[in-house]
Amino acid sequence: DADVTQTPRNRITKTGKRIMLECSQTKGHDRMYWYRQDPGLGLQLIYYSFDVKDINKGEISDGYSVSRQAQAKFSLSLESAIPNQTALYFCAASGERGSRSGEQFFGPGTRLTVL
Amino acid sequence: GNSVTQMEGPVTLSEEAFLTINCTYTATGYPSLFWYVQYPGEGLQLLLKATKADDKGSNKGFEATYRKETTSFHLEKGSVQVSDSAVYFCALSDDGGTSYGKLTFGQGTILTVHP
C-alpha cells in the first residue's frame, strides 16, 4: 500500500479559481512537505510542517497556503490560481520514529494546469 | 545557505555503458546526502543515501561515496539498463546528523538509456 497519497492526480482550472490539493499518509510520519516541480528546476519547497501545530514557509510560499488538519493530512491551497502556478506538485512525509536518515517519502504527484 | 549542484543533462547512454552523474554541495554542519530517482509518471523514491563522510551508499547497482574533502556525492553505475531511464536528483539534509530535516535538491539530471 502506498504510504503517501495525493488527490487529485490531475486538475485543470481557470485563472482566479481557488484550488485545494490534498495529501494523506498512513505511516505516522511527523513531518510533511509540499513541493513544486518545474522542468529543469528540480523541486522547490513551498511549505512544511513538523507537527500539527507547526507550519513553516518554504522557498516559494507566495500565493499558497496550507493546513495540517491532522498528523496524517496536509493540504495545499491556491487561493486565486494564476497560469504560472501550472506545475507538478508533490507531497512528502518523513520522520519515522527512531529514524536518523532524513529520508522523505513522496506521493505520486498532482499535475495542475491553470488556464 | 545550502545548495546542491548536479551535472547538466540530459545524459544519453547505450545499454551496458558506465554512468557517472556528478553532484557537489554546499552546506553548514554535517549533512546527510541522498540520491532520489523519478521514473516517468511517478513520484520521487530514495535510491541511496549516506549519512557521514566516507560512507558509501549503494542500491540496485548504483553507488555514491560521501566525500567531505571535495564536497561531492557522485552517482555511478557500472552497466546501465534501459530500465534505469529516469530523472536523478541529488539532495542534502542539513540536520546536524541528529534528526530528520528539510531536503535541498539539485535540479535533476535526465538519463536516457538506449538498447
Side-chain angles (χ1 to χ4, degrees), chain A residues 17 47 95:
Chain A
K17 295 291 188 181
Y47 270 95

Side-chain angles (χ1 to χ4, degrees), chain A residues 55-77:
Chain A
I55 305 290
N56 304 278
K57 292 182 177 180
E59 307 163 272
I60 55 163
S61 58
D62 287 348
Y64 301 94
S65 62
V66 291
S67 173
R68 185 86 181 263
Q69 301 97 320
Q71 185 187 29
K73 297 184 181 298
F74 192 40
S75 60
L76 175 72
S77 294

